[in-house]
Amino acid sequence: MTTLSQQIINGLSLGSVYALIAVGYSLVYSILLFSNFAHGGFLVVGGYACYFLLTQYGFGIWISITGALVASGVVAIITERMAYKPIRDRTSMTLYLMIASMGVSIVIENIFVIVVGGRFRALPQDTFPHDLFNLGGNVTVNSFDILSLIVAVIFLGGLQLFLNRTRWGLAIRAAACNLNTAGLMGVNVPLLISIVFFVAGLLAAVGGIFLSVRYTLYPQLGGTITTKAFVAAVIGGLGSLPGAVVGSLLLGLAEMLTAGFISSQMRDLVVFSMLVIMLLVKPAGFFGKQVSDKI
Amino acid sequence: MKKCLSFLSVFVVFSMFAALPALGADTIRFGEIATVTGDFAAYGTAEVESVKIAVEEINAAGGVLGKHLEVIMYDCRTRQEDMVNAARRLVEQDKVAAVIGPSGSGLCIAATPIFARGKVPHIGTLPTNPLVTVDEQGKVRPYNFRICFLDPYQGRMMAYFAVKDLGLKKAAILYDVSSDYSQGQREFFIDGFKEYGGAIVADEGFRGDDVDFRSQLTNIKDSGADVLIYPFMGKSLPLAVKQARELGIKTVILGGDGYGDFMWEVAGDTLADTYWVSHVDRYDPVLKNFFDKYQQKTGTECQEFMNAVMAYDCVYWLKDAIERAGSDDPQKIRDALESTKGLKLLHAVLTMDEFHNPKDKDGVMLRCDAVQKKALFFKKVRPE
């Protein structure tokens, strides 16, 4: 029982970080109908921005975090303007956008390799709480895990409020139904897309900061973990934000329980089997819209 | 996608080393393959710098056989397929006299057929798996050499140290299922540990690029182990130490030769009182001059010191072999490498055995000190 509770806690804390990343993925997908593989790059930008602001420039934690969020958001906007907008202007095929995003993710990764090197770094550990709480028996929970769950809830809740209560949120929801029609109705589409990318970059930065505190920071960080977040977004239903959250938590739990009770080598097998089964049984995921031409 | 990736990585590395002197006829060229990106990036970066330092020193002192040494470097991205590509390029296109690096066993093993086919000698800096220099039938691979001791020795050393020095008899192991290095060390540890009277109470695996080990560690926590064995390398090491302590595991942690000072940044004080096998003692006075030079040249402290020292000594070993061969012919260099005897290098006196492994090298146990944030010399261990 102790082991089970511990594994569930482990799973939820991993899932909450996946959720922040998966929601960013889904947000871009819901508007532009393509999977932005450069999302992992935004996460790395956020992580490094926070790292350098904290350690090299000596800013406080709040300024550093804010700086990282803005940096990621801005890089996301620039990426969209430089790599995706020219393609969107020329063709309506979202496949090209996806291919471009793969290229962008490699470019971002390699820029970091050249500029800061491939060394593993970590945000200073004492800037975040790391106390252990004993929940009875032998079950422990780290205060950082609780913090990451709370922050994930705050950011996802904030995003929900933004989408439901603001004019731009309304525009985004309209665009998610049909981008072209929204444009015809007077929505400033380029600005809207920039806002969406900014918000996605912001969420990625939060994920990046949490990942680099919990794990480590290196140029390829975006690669592996965003693949998982992408799978989570697909399982939950691409384009659906609650779906991304549910998919992420499910995935985190599935990973930890498989590794704990079956075998750690089966972990990825289970994750990707879940993906295949989901695609066979319910291709649109738990909360996704049934559409045929999405990639 | 993959093609595009390898093209990019080659491009990146070329631009990184564009500052090196242009190729000329009065030079002896050798290759260097390092893990500049990927999981072992930290080790590879140190390796590249120390090879450059050694080459500069040798050239400043007049070179080898009156010619300058010249190094051609490639990044293998800590991936076996890129390792094979890099080896092929060095052997077939660049026609180098010999190849040095990288540190990983799996990487070195992957490229063994290329060196054998091209008849170019290869020296691994820190590949400790036996299969680097002998094949599955136990026959020596004629073109492969190494400068470090082996996993059977290292695994036994860890087992001996745990049982005889620390008096710990219930071991839990966490290992990387995708790494030859990790698999080998685990196996030899288990053999030795059982022989010395210990028992394995948990044996958990993970896959190379995993960053979260908490589910395995939760099982280990419940196993009642009194020593936790970490036979792997790279970013996984500090992460696994940190996550174990965060789950409240207080047992002794004992690891192979993957330790690097970079681990302090990731794992912080949780590294305190962990023990690591090492090939060299970082604070040995004879190494000071080298580390000072490294610091001067790169502006950073040499954090992956084991691999750096090994790579530096590899270049000097190669220089000695070329001098004794009296030529830059790969075949003659190979023969000279094979017959190395009593060669005084920075970190040890090198003599080759018939399997292309160094003879009688001492192993050192390091212990992480929380106050100085360093792994300090703990004791020399030679398992019986």
Side-chain angles (χ1 to χ4, degrees), chain A residues 3 7 10 13 51 106 113 118-122 132 138 142 145 213-215 218 256 259-260 264 267, chain B residues 8 12 37 39 41 177 205 209 211-212 214-216 218-219 221-222 235 239 242 246-247 265 303-304:
Chain A
T3 316
Q7 300 290 20
N10 295 344
S13 89
Y51 176 86
I106 297 168
V113 168
R119 180 186 295 281
F120 305 110
R121 297 158 199 268
L132 275 185
N138 217 359
N142 192 316
D145 285 340
V213 177
R214 177 178 317 188
Y215 304 124
Y218 55 107
M256 286 299 184
S264 50
R267 189 164 160 166
Chain B
L8 259 165
V12 166
T37 51
D39 216 17
V177 294
D209 48 4
V211 286
D212 201 302
R214 284 178 296 176
S215 52
Q216 294 94 319
T218 301
N219 289 347
K221 187 176 161 185
D222 297 338
K235 65 175 187 299
L239 288 175
K242 188 170 122 184
E246 280 172 3
L247 281 172
E265 187 170 339
Q303 296 195 317
E304 294 70 29

Side-chain angles (χ1 to χ4, degrees), chain B residues 24-313:
Chain B
D26 56 343
T27 57
I28 296 176
R29 279 195 263 171
F30 73 97
E32 148 80 7
I33 308 177
T35 51
V36 184
T37 51
D39 216 17
F40 299 169
Y43 307 99
T45 317
E47 189 178 312
V48 166
E49 292 302 336
S50 34
V51 167
K52 279 198 222 164
I53 292 174
V55 168
E56 273 169 25
E57 280 177 4
I58 291 170
N59 287 344
V64 191
L65 303 176
K67 294 179 178 180
H68 272 198
L69 267 188
E70 197 156 294
V71 54
I72 301 176
M73 292 179 180
Y74 290 118
D75 174 18
C76 68
R77 303 170 23 108
T78 324
R79 285 157 44 130
Q80 291 172 345
E81 54 271 41
D82 290 274
M83 173 71 195
V84 171
N85 287 340
R88 188 168 285 155
R89 233 186 133 116
L90 284 170
V91 169
E92 289 168 9
Q93 290 176 21
D94 302 322
K95 308 262 184 229
V96 292
V99 177
I100 287 175
S103 55
S105 295
L107 297 168
C108 288
I109 294 170
T112 49
I114 314 283
F115 297 119
R117 208 182 313 137
K119 299 198 187 315
V120 172
H122 165 253
I123 311 173
T125 56
L126 268 185
T128 46
N129 190 297
L131 292 177
V132 171
T133 56
V134 295
D135 61 17
E136 280 85 354
Q137 279 78 44
K139 251 182 66 191
V140 65
R141 299 186 198 266
Y143 290 91
N144 295 89
F145 297 84
R146 84 177 96 213
I147 196 167
C148 54
F149 57 60
L150 276 73
D151 284 336
Y153 185 77
Q154 195 176 162
R156 279 191 90 76
M157 189 175 147
M158 284 155 74
Y160 184 85
F161 179 73
V163 177
K164 305 282 178 181
D165 287 314
L166 303 177
L168 305 170
K169 292 206 163 158
K170 281 188 285 179
I173 304 172
L174 179 68
Y175 71 103
D176 180 351
V177 294
S178 61
S179 146
D180 293 335
Y181 164 81
S182 190
Q183 296 264 26
Q185 221 177 82
R186 162 182 167 271
E187 215 173 281
F188 300 117
F189 171 81
I190 293 177
D191 290 350
F193 198 67
K194 284 184 179 157
E195 206 177 292
Y196 295 130
I200 309 294
V201 293
D203 187 19
E204 298 274 333
F206 68 89
R207 271 170 39 96
D209 48 4
D210 282 355
V211 286
D212 201 302
F213 314 104
R214 284 178 296 176
S215 52
Q216 294 94 319
L217 289 168
T218 301
N219 289 347
I220 284 172
K221 187 176 161 185
D222 297 338
S223 72
D226 51 16
V227 57
L228 181 47
I229 305 299
Y230 281 176
F232 45 88
M233 289 175 68
K235 65 175 187 299
S236 320
L237 269 186
L239 288 175
V241 172
K242 188 170 122 184
Q243 289 168 17
R245 296 299 188 224
E246 280 172 3
L247 281 172
I249 298 178
K250 294 190 183 72
T251 55
V252 173
I253 293 179
L254 179 56
D257 60 346
Y259 173 85
D261 285 343
F262 72 95
M263 287 161 59
W264 288 95
E265 187 170 339
V266 179
D269 287 342
T270 55
L271 271 181
D273 302 332
T274 53
Y275 296 89
W276 307 93
V277 175
S278 178
H279 301 258
V280 292
D281 169 15
R282 167 82 164 84
Y283 300 98
D284 191 336
V286 299
L287 302 179
K288 190 175 178 306
N289 188 24
F290 166 72
F291 287 125
D292 286 349
K293 253 186 203 161
Y294 188 100
Q295 169 104 37
Q296 221 171 32
K297 189 164 186 309
T298 63
T300 53
E301 204 184 333
C302 182
Q303 296 195 317
E304 294 70 29
F305 57 88
M306 287 183 226
N307 198 32
V309 172
M310 294 294 164
Y312 178 84
D313 272 352

